[in-house]
Amino acid sequence: MIYFGPSGNPEDFYADGNKSSEQMPKWLFESGLNAYEYPCSKGVNIGELKANQIGSEAAKYGIRLSIHAPYYINFASDIEENLMKSRKWLTDSMVAATWMGADRVVFHPGSATGIDRKIALTRVNKQMQVVLKEAEELGVDHITLCPELMGKVNQLGTLEEVIQICKTDDRLTPCIDFGHLHARDFGRLNSTEDFEIVIRMLWDQLGRERGRGFHCHFSRIEYTAKGGEKKHHTFADKEYGPDFDLLVPLIYKYDLLPVFICESNGTMAKDALEMKKLYESYQR
Ligand SMILES: [Zn+2]
């Protein structure tokens, strides 16, 4: 099964008179979608009751849930206090995911500003082992952690770095953000072949299971002259890439089973539905 859904609550959801995230699963189901990424980007502020409510609605309507962990996480820091806080943000997200019945937590690995990237990556990999151990102790290590491919050049999380992080433990699955990849590499995704290089890398280096079932963020994106993400756009802003329809043939060719989360600016549910339709209407 392939999953399509939005990151957070789109404008249409509120325009339809809804107020709270507990209403999202039903609304998504009625919209024809089956995934929802709940944002804890500004902190894990959700309580157990609300998480349970979202979870039971999601179970009722067949919506697959994931959580986006706080943006403040930085596992490349050399300050122990920052690392401790980062681990806590991540394990708190895993606890919330458990309450909710979500099976994945997406996170930003860290900042490479002013540090040699190899040193930064070594620090992140070391922290992955510590945080997984802590997750085991909390009984939440059944949640899959997804380090995200990042859009800004000074952030740790190139395609290669995300693969290296995932190689350290089977419980890590990449979050491939194609918009971010496109932005940080000056618009590199312009053909199905360009996407195929990425899929083959995942497949060759992480094996069949993670090569097929990775987590995926998708949006059209604007990048700066120096490379790197400037702004997420909507699918209607056709002057910005990448195009989802270039990826569609590869879903069939490699029998991919990703969770596709659309991160369009405000129209993430409408655009997730467009992705689903492009996938379903593809003629082999
Ligand atoms: Zn993210």
Side-chain angles (χ1 to χ4, degrees), residues 6-262:
S7 152
N9 304 351
E11 289 159 358
D12 299 3
F13 169 75
Y14 295 106
D16 287 348
N18 296 294
K19 285 185 175 64
S20 170
S21 298
E22 297 94 296
Q23 297 167 299
M24 270 295 279
K26 180 169 188 268
W27 185 84
L28 288 169
F29 172 78
E30 285 168 356
S31 308
L33 294 166
N34 57 0
Y36 176 37
E37 191 149 289
Y38 183 83
C40 290
S41 319
K42 291 175 182 148
V44 186
N45 302 317
I46 187 166
E48 186 168 1
L49 181 66
K50 181 169 173 174
N52 287 162
Q53 284 168 342
I54 295 173
S56 62
E57 284 295 287
K60 189 163 144 193
Y61 291 103
I63 306 296
R64 185 164 171 174
L65 296 174
S66 50
I67 283 186
H68 197 305
Y71 289 149
Y72 323 118
I73 287 174
N74 181 9
F75 289 124
S77 172
D78 59 350
I79 300 165
E80 180 51 34
E81 198 196 335
N82 295 347
L83 295 173
M84 245 171 59
K85 282 187 189 157
S86 294
R87 294 198 304 268
K88 178 93 165 69
W89 281 314
L90 195 53
T91 52
D92 281 353
S93 302
M94 293 167 94
V95 169
T98 305
W99 289 338
M100 213 181 264
D103 66 338
R104 290 178 170 181
V105 168
V106 177
F107 69 99
H108 299 174
S111 164
T113 304
I115 328 169
D116 178 85
R117 298 193 81 94
K118 281 204 181 101
I119 294 173
L121 184 62
T122 307
R123 285 181 189 160
V124 171
N125 285 342
K126 194 175 156 213
Q127 287 304 308
M128 286 299 98
Q129 293 315 303
V130 183
V131 84
L132 283 166
K133 190 103 192 68
E134 290 173 353
E136 274 171 38
E137 283 158 13
L138 290 164
V140 293
D141 64 314
H142 59 286
I143 303 291
T144 300
L145 290 177
C146 303
E148 180 175 336
L149 199 166
M150 299 305 300
K152 295 203 170 95
V153 183
N154 62 1
Q155 288 167 314
L156 201 75
T158 61
L159 173 60
E160 292 76 8
E161 285 163 348
V162 166
I163 289 174
Q164 289 307 319
I165 295 167
C166 290
K167 274 186 177 178
T168 64
D169 198 289
D170 288 348
R171 286 169 287 184
L172 303 169
T173 288
C175 173
I176 302 300
D177 188 315
F178 285 106
H180 285 168
L181 181 62
H182 193 68
R184 77 178 297 150
D185 288 355
F186 301 95
R188 78 179 253 181
L189 299 170
N190 301 298
S191 66
T192 295
E193 289 69 29
D194 294 339
F195 279 95
E196 191 161 15
I197 291 168
V198 181
I199 304 298
R200 290 215 66 100
M201 264 181 81
L202 295 175
W203 198 282
D204 293 345
Q205 299 205 41
L206 295 174
R208 188 169 184 271
E209 199 182 325
R210 287 184 284 179
R212 288 175 73 206
F214 55 90
H215 203 74
C216 183
H217 285 172
F218 209 99
S219 63
R220 290 183 180 274
I221 201 159
E222 183 177 355
Y223 52 92
T224 68
K226 289 181 178 168
E229 143 184 31
K230 184 174 178 191
K231 189 173 189 277
H232 285 241
H233 285 270
T234 71
F235 275 25
D237 298 322
K238 299 234 182 273
E239 65 265 44
Y240 303 105
D243 285 319
F244 186 74
D245 44 2
L246 299 174
L247 173 60
V248 170
L250 302 173
I251 303 174
Y252 290 95
K253 181 173 175 184
Y254 290 89
D255 202 10
L256 301 180
L257 293 168
V259 177
F260 284 116
I261 298 296
C262 183

